[in-house]
Amino acid sequence: MKALYSINIKLWLSILAALAFLVFSIVVTFHTYYTQLDTLISSSRASLAQELPIFTHKLEQALSANDAESVSFALNAKKSRINYQQMLILEPKGHIIAAPERHQETQHFSKFNLPIDARLLLKVYDQNSGIIEFNESTLIFSTYFPLHFQHQHDTQPAILYATYHIAHEVQSVLEIGLNKSLIIALLLLSLLCFTALFVYFFITKPINELIYVGEKLRALDFSHRAKIKGNGELKLLADNFNDMANSLQEKIAAQKAAEQYALSKHNLLESIFSALPDLFIVIDSQGRVIEFNNAHHTDVFIGQPPMIGSNVTDLLPITMSKRFKSAIKEAKKYKKLTCIEYPFTQRDQAKFMEARISVMPLSENIVIVLRDITQRKRQEELIFHHAFYDTLTNLPNRFLVMERLTQQIKTATRNKTIIAVIFIDLDDFKKVNDSLGHEVGDKLLIASAQRLQETLRDEDTVARLGGDEFVILISNLNSSEDVIPIAANLVRRFRIPLNIDKREFSISLSLGVSVYPQDGCTPSALLRKADSAMYHSKQQGRNTYSFFTEKMSQDLSRRLLLEEHMRHALEQGEFEVYYQPQFTIDSNELIGAEALLRWHNKTLGTVSPSEFIPLAEGNGEIVAIGKFVLQSAIEQIKKWQSVLDRPLKIAVNLSPRQFKDRTLIDDIHKFIQQSQIPTSLLELEITEGVLLSGDDALKDSLNNLHQLGLVISMDDFGTGYSSLNYLRQYPFDILKIDQSFIADLSTSPAADELVNSIITMSHSLGIRVVAEGIETLSQLKILQNYQCDIGQGFLLGEPMTSEDFEHSIGITDVRYTQS
């Protein structure tokens, strides 16, 4: 049966068509033959049944007339017909009465081997009716018809026996049937050919097309489609086949895209696994390892790396196994990421590991990601240390000291004890740092921190806030008087020089002390008030300590208020430049003025420069304010130049903070270019604080300014280190003697001698001298005797607005438009 199902459909169709053709031809032939044979037999029987009774009647007449010749003639005539073979008249017992051959007469039929059935003779006699028998094998009719004739006045019975063969007719019928069968066969063959062609074009060919496309599809070649015309079943099958091919192509393309995407994801994961320092483990719900990736061969197990099928907790230290089981249980219960960190010692090396445990979606499997976080932990510790400790001195910084102070306040509140907060500033550290460099300054800070720690108890906190500012927290005190010996000891200890790089440095402290709870209840309040007390120590001459008082709080509030209003003073136009005239001492001729800044605030009123200038220097506002003064002075020079016959120069102070501004020189050059003034009319006053760093950049900057044609002067000469080397090293045009020396003229011979020496020395270097703060006529006469070049002070002229200045020198109704 399987073999039959395996036969090609074309062979099946050919065999079935041939068999159908053969069977149909045979059936048609036999059916036609037998149908016509039956018709022939029936017609022959009917003809005999009609003809022989009539013939019998004629024979009866002839026999009744005893006309033997007529009977013989009639029998011969009938027998001569092609179909009749025998023609006899028999008596019932079988003797021949008459025959075409006379010698047979009176003889019994058996002598002549005639196929006569004696029983039928008797039957015909008895029944007196004719019988027609047909032998299909011989195709002969045997007929028996009764007849009666008069012989000697008796009626004699007789039987007409005749044989009638139809072989010729049957042969004709057979030939006709064969001809018809041939015709039918030809028609069937034509039909078969037509059917074959039909089957080929409308079945076989489309099926072959489908087979061809199917083979291409099996080879995953989607470049072919079944092209079948019409609307039949094969067309529908082809359309379904094409739809299937399109769907299959899309699905295979999607599958390939998915495979490519999966491959890219796999490669991405491989790259990620290779790039990440992590170890990846996938376990089932029983904790057995089913996947393992350790691209970097991270060694985090107590034995061999995990093998597929082993339990992951068996590979971990006993102390961590319980934590892992608990974490895995938690991850499975809450379906969320669970992280644990644990220490791990391997080969005498302390490590830290991190495990991230997560349940895979739509699965009971669990992903474990292990990472060595030893370096991260160290970095965190380092970051923590940097966040809460000073990198230079390794002392706690502001954040940590505030945190500790918060905790100490809580403890002191419970224990009802006292806390002292000591704010420390190193006196004159900035000068050391600027003159000797930051490297020496850093070493000085480190040595100072060590001395502070050595002086105090272990439980006391020493912190560095920044720069040269330190804070000390002393807890568990019974009264504020307990702080006095500690503060005094700190001051005393720092009177001993510090040894740095085989050099001794004498540096003092200014201390401010605030006490919890009497001075404040919050860390910020205590620190702020200690800062105020330290600032008071600075004002008291430094190298001492001060306890916070309410007056200091008022001073602190004043400073905060000044800082608040100063932030918007420049943009609100509260600053104004005043001008103090400068004269030649020998001829009393006006040659210029010094630009002095004044601050008028609606709330604060007029603020003294001695109060707000240091504050601006400290918070950095001096840079923007200094640019304002420079631009105002240059515009004023341009204004006076346009209305005066003789030019007036203006001197502008540059603070140390302002001079460090990298845009200072560019700004000066830009302002001069905009106003188109002679550069010789602008004088820049520089204090000794600017010169303390002594670096090449400072020297280059001063030389650049001098090359522009600007006048460079040293301000407040004699108040600082007063290094005479500065006069030789830097391109100064003018030296300004501080007013503190001028004030002692005529009352202190030493001051007279010192001023005279400064003037003489400066003239020998080609530097002109300006005396500040001339307030008496005697001071002026002494300076004239010493041949001082220029004078400035209240005796000669007070600082005044530009309008008052112009009015004092006779300039009225000045209109000036900046070009």
Side-chain angles (χ1 to χ4, degrees):
M1 184 61 68
K2 292 183 178 179
L4 289 177
Y5 280 116
S6 302
I7 294 177
N8 188 290
I9 189 170
K10 293 183 289 184
L11 180 61
W12 264 107
L13 291 175
S14 300
I15 292 173
L16 290 176
L19 288 175
F21 168 71
L22 179 62
V23 170
F24 186 78
S25 298
I26 293 172
V27 169
V28 168
T29 300
F30 277 94
H31 180 268
T32 302
Y33 172 73
Y34 283 108
T35 299
Q36 291 183 353
L37 180 62
D38 290 342
T39 302
L40 178 62
I41 292 172
S42 298
S43 62
S44 297
R45 186 184 297 274
S47 177
L48 290 173
Q50 184 179 5
E51 180 181 346
L52 289 180
I54 297 173
F55 183 63
T56 301
H57 182 66
K58 290 180 179 182
L59 290 176
E60 285 180 344
Q61 292 178 354
L63 287 173
S64 296
N66 200 18
D67 188 356
E69 290 294 331
S70 298
V71 172
S72 179
F73 178 81
L75 292 175
N76 283 318
K78 183 64 74 173
K79 184 180 179 183
S80 63
R81 293 176 61 181
I82 190 170
N83 296 96
Y84 288 99
Q85 288 182 334
Q86 296 292 335
M87 185 65 67
L88 299 173
I89 297 176
L90 301 171
E91 61 181 10
K93 293 183 179 180
H95 290 89
I96 300 172
I97 297 177
E101 297 177 2
R102 298 297 298 270
H103 66 275
Q104 295 179 341
E105 294 180 355
T106 69
Q107 300 293 327
H108 196 272
F109 69 86
S110 59
K111 291 182 178 182
F112 302 103
N113 294 322
L114 294 175
I116 298 175
D117 190 346
R119 291 174 301 175
L120 293 177
L121 291 174
L122 293 176
K123 184 177 181 181
V124 171
Y125 176 76
D126 292 337
Q127 295 179 355
N128 194 25
S129 62
I131 295 175
I132 300 174
E133 291 286 337
F134 181 72
N135 190 333
E136 292 183 359
S137 60
T138 60
L139 300 177
I140 295 176
F141 283 98
S142 296
T143 62
Y144 300 87
F145 280 90
L147 55 88
H148 299 86
F149 61 92
Q150 295 294 325
H151 181 64
Q152 297 178 359
H153 303 287
D154 292 328
T155 301
Q156 293 290 331
I159 297 170
L160 175 63
Y161 169 74
T163 59
Y164 186 87
H165 69 88
I166 57 174
H168 295 292
E169 286 79 359
V170 171
Q171 182 66 31
S172 298
V173 168
L174 181 60
E175 290 177 356
I176 293 170
L178 290 176
N179 290 334
K180 289 182 178 180
S181 297
L182 180 61
I183 293 171
I184 293 172
L186 290 174
L187 291 175
L188 289 176
L189 181 62
S190 300
L191 180 62
L192 180 63
C193 292
F194 174 78
T195 303
L197 291 174
F198 179 85
V199 168
Y200 172 75
F201 284 104
F202 295 99
I203 297 178
T204 304
K205 188 175 180 181
I207 291 176
N208 288 337
E209 178 76 11
L210 292 174
I211 292 173
Y212 176 75
V213 174
E215 290 176 349
K216 292 295 182 180
L217 291 179
R218 184 177 61 182
L220 300 181
D221 182 0
F222 299 100
S223 60
H224 297 80
R225 293 292 184 273
K227 299 177 181 179
I228 298 178
K229 300 178 180 179
N231 297 312
E233 290 82 355
L234 290 177
K235 171 63 175 175
L236 295 177
L237 180 61
D239 292 341
N240 292 334
F241 212 67
N242 291 337
D243 293 340
M244 181 187 70
N246 294 332
S247 177
L248 185 62
Q249 183 178 11
E250 292 175 359
K251 290 182 178 180
I252 290 179
Q255 181 181 359
K256 288 184 178 180
E259 290 175 356
Q260 187 65 32
Y261 180 76
L263 181 61
S264 64
K265 286 292 185 182
H266 176 75
N267 294 334
L268 176 62
L269 287 177
E270 288 292 333
S271 301
I272 292 174
F273 287 152
S274 300
L276 291 177
D278 299 328
L279 185 151
F280 296 86
I281 304 173
V282 180
I283 63 173
D284 59 16
S285 58
Q286 304 300 319
R288 293 185 295 266
V289 177
I290 59 178
E291 289 290 342
F292 174 70
N293 186 286
N294 189 8
H296 295 272
H297 307 288
T298 305
D299 191 5
V300 296
F301 301 100
I302 57 176
Q304 294 295 325
M307 302 297 291
I308 303 300
S310 60
N311 197 295
V312 67
T313 56
D314 296 338
L315 304 170
L316 297 168
I318 297 176
T319 55
M320 286 311 305
S321 180
K322 294 181 179 180
R323 288 193 63 189
F324 255 84
K325 290 180 180 178
S326 177
I328 291 172
K329 184 177 180 181
E330 180 182 351
K332 291 167 65 176
K333 180 178 180 181
Y334 297 104
K335 303 294 183 182
K336 66 177 183 178
L337 178 67
T338 303
C339 298
I340 59 173
E341 295 181 0
Y342 60 93
F344 181 66
T345 302
Q346 187 177 57
R347 299 186 185 93
D348 298 328
Q349 291 184 351
K351 295 183 177 181
F352 267 93
M353 301 299 298
E354 178 189 65
R356 293 174 176 260
I357 304 171
S358 177
V359 179
M360 295 179 64
L362 305 177
S363 171
E364 293 185 356
N365 296 336
I366 297 172
V367 178
I368 301 176
V369 181
L370 297 176
R371 174 175 290 188
D372 186 346
I373 59 171
T374 306
Q375 188 65 27
R376 193 189 79 187
K377 279 291 185 181
R378 291 173 181 170
Q379 290 175 348
E380 288 177 355
E381 292 174 358
L382 185 61
I383 291 172
F384 176 83
H385 191 273
H386 285 171
F388 293 100
Y389 287 87
D390 178 56
T391 56
L392 179 64
T393 62
N394 209 30
L395 295 177
N397 61 12
R398 177 183 292 272
F399 299 106
L400 185 55
V401 77
M402 296 294 280
E403 177 65 24
R404 288 188 181 180
L405 182 54
T406 301
Q407 297 301 324
Q408 289 182 9
I409 289 174
K410 294 179 181 179
T411 304
T413 302
R414 289 195 306 267
N415 300 334
K416 296 181 180 181
T417 55
I418 291 175
I419 304 171
V421 178
I422 303 176
F423 200 106
I424 298 174
D425 186 86
L426 302 182
D427 297 330
D428 294 326
F429 171 76
K430 182 172 175 34
K431 292 182 180 180
V432 175
N433 200 37
D434 291 342
S435 61
L436 300 177
H438 292 285
E439 183 178 357
V440 175
D442 290 346
K443 291 179 180 180
L444 182 59
L445 289 173
I446 295 172
S448 300
Q450 291 174 349
R451 178 163 291 184
L452 289 173
Q453 289 178 305
E454 293 169 356
T455 306
L456 300 170
R457 301 173 301 177
D458 292 339
E459 61 266 27
D460 298 332
T461 297
V462 180
R464 181 186 175 213
L465 299 186
D468 59 345
E469 295 179 341
F470 295 86
V471 168
I472 297 174
L473 305 181
I474 301 176
S475 58
N476 296 322
L477 298 176
N478 296 319
S479 67
S480 58
E481 285 78 11
D482 295 341
V483 187
I484 296 174
I486 298 173
N489 186 38
L490 287 170
V491 173
R492 184 171 57 254
R493 286 275 296 170
F494 269 81
R495 288 172 182 162
I496 302 173
L498 295 170
N499 292 316
I500 299 174
D501 293 340
K502 298 180 181 180
R503 296 176 60 181
E504 290 188 348
F505 289 85
S506 295
I507 192 163
S508 60
L509 301 180
S510 293
L511 280 69
V513 182
S514 63
V515 177
Y516 170 84
Q518 64 189 49
D519 294 330
C521 296
T522 63
S524 58
L526 291 171
L527 199 63
R528 185 175 65 252
K529 292 178 179 181
D531 184 18
S532 298
M534 183 276 297
Y535 188 76
H536 182 265
S537 295
K538 290 281 189 183
Q539 292 178 331
Q540 297 302 312
R542 308 181 181 185
N543 194 24
T544 186
Y545 64 89
S546 300
F547 280 80
F548 175 78
T549 63
E550 285 304 321
K551 185 178 183 306
M552 296 178 189
S553 179
Q554 295 173 2
D555 294 341
L556 176 60
S557 299
R558 173 68 176 177
R559 285 173 54 197
L560 295 176
L561 187 61
L562 288 174
E563 286 185 349
E564 180 183 355
H565 285 275
M566 185 181 292
R567 293 190 189 99
H568 309 288
L570 190 59
E571 63 186 49
Q572 292 178 0
E574 296 178 0
F575 288 115
E576 184 179 9
V577 179
Y578 277 41
Y579 299 93
Q580 186 173 27
Q582 294 178 337
F583 296 88
T584 58
I585 291 181
D586 57 349
S587 61
N588 197 28
E589 178 185 358
L590 178 66
I591 61 169
E594 180 180 4
L596 301 173
L597 186 63
R598 295 294 183 264
W599 181 15
H600 307 289
N601 183 270
K602 294 179 180 180
T603 303
L604 303 175
T606 299
V607 183
S608 171
S610 62
E611 188 177 15
F612 75 79
I613 291 295
L615 192 60
E617 180 74 22
N619 62 21
E621 293 287 341
I622 194 67
V623 175
I625 294 173
K627 289 182 181 179
F628 165 73
V629 176
L630 266 172
Q631 193 169 13
S632 299
I634 291 174
E635 290 176 358
Q636 197 63 55
I637 292 172
K638 177 66 175 178
K639 180 179 179 181
W640 291 342
Q641 184 186 16
S642 64
V643 296
L644 293 175
D645 296 334
R646 62 186 187 281
L648 295 178
K649 70 178 180 65
I650 296 180
V652 179
N653 287 280
L654 293 181
S655 70
R657 182 71 173 270
Q658 186 181 0
F659 203 86
K660 292 180 181 179
D661 182 21
R662 295 183 178 180
T663 65
L664 175 64
I665 297 177
D666 293 335
D667 289 338
I668 294 173
H669 189 267
K670 180 180 68 174
F671 295 153
I672 293 175
Q673 288 291 328
Q674 290 175 350
S675 61
Q676 296 295 315
I677 64 168
T679 55
S680 60
L681 298 181
L682 179 61
E683 177 184 337
L684 301 179
E685 297 184 357
I686 300 170
T687 61
E688 289 183 81
V690 176
L691 307 174
L692 289 176
S693 63
D695 55 15
D696 293 336
L698 171 64
K699 186 175 182 179
D700 292 340
S701 298
L702 290 176
N703 286 331
N704 290 335
L705 292 173
H706 197 264
Q707 289 174 2
L708 289 175
L710 302 178
V711 178
I712 309 298
S713 65
M714 177 184 283
D715 194 19
D716 298 335
F717 184 82
T719 58
Y721 290 93
S722 300
S723 175
L724 298 178
N725 190 44
Y726 293 153
L727 302 178
R728 181 184 61 83
Q729 186 177 359
Y730 299 107
F732 289 111
D733 301 296
I734 296 175
L735 184 147
K736 299 187 72 173
I737 303 174
D738 188 70
Q739 58 185 354
S740 60
F741 295 102
I742 304 302
D744 292 337
L745 287 178
S746 72
T747 60
S748 171
D752 291 358
E753 195 63 36
L754 182 58
V755 171
N756 187 24
S757 299
I758 292 173
I759 294 172
T760 303
M761 176 196 63
S762 299
H763 287 169
S764 65
L765 295 174
I767 298 174
R768 291 183 294 165
V769 179
V770 176
E772 294 182 302
I774 302 175
E775 297 183 355
T776 64
L777 191 57
S778 60
Q779 294 170 353
L780 180 59
K781 290 181 178 180
I782 293 173
L783 291 171
Q784 288 175 341
N785 292 333
Y786 293 159
Q787 297 182 357
C788 183
D789 301 293
I790 302 168
Q792 174 183 345
F794 278 30
L795 178 65
L796 304 176
E798 297 181 2
M800 61 192 79
T801 63
S802 59
E803 291 80 3
D804 293 340
F805 190 93
E806 293 163 0
H807 182 71
S808 66
I809 61 175
I811 303 176
T812 58
D813 193 23
V814 178
R815 292 180 175 87
Y816 167 64
T817 301
Q818 183 180 359
S819 58

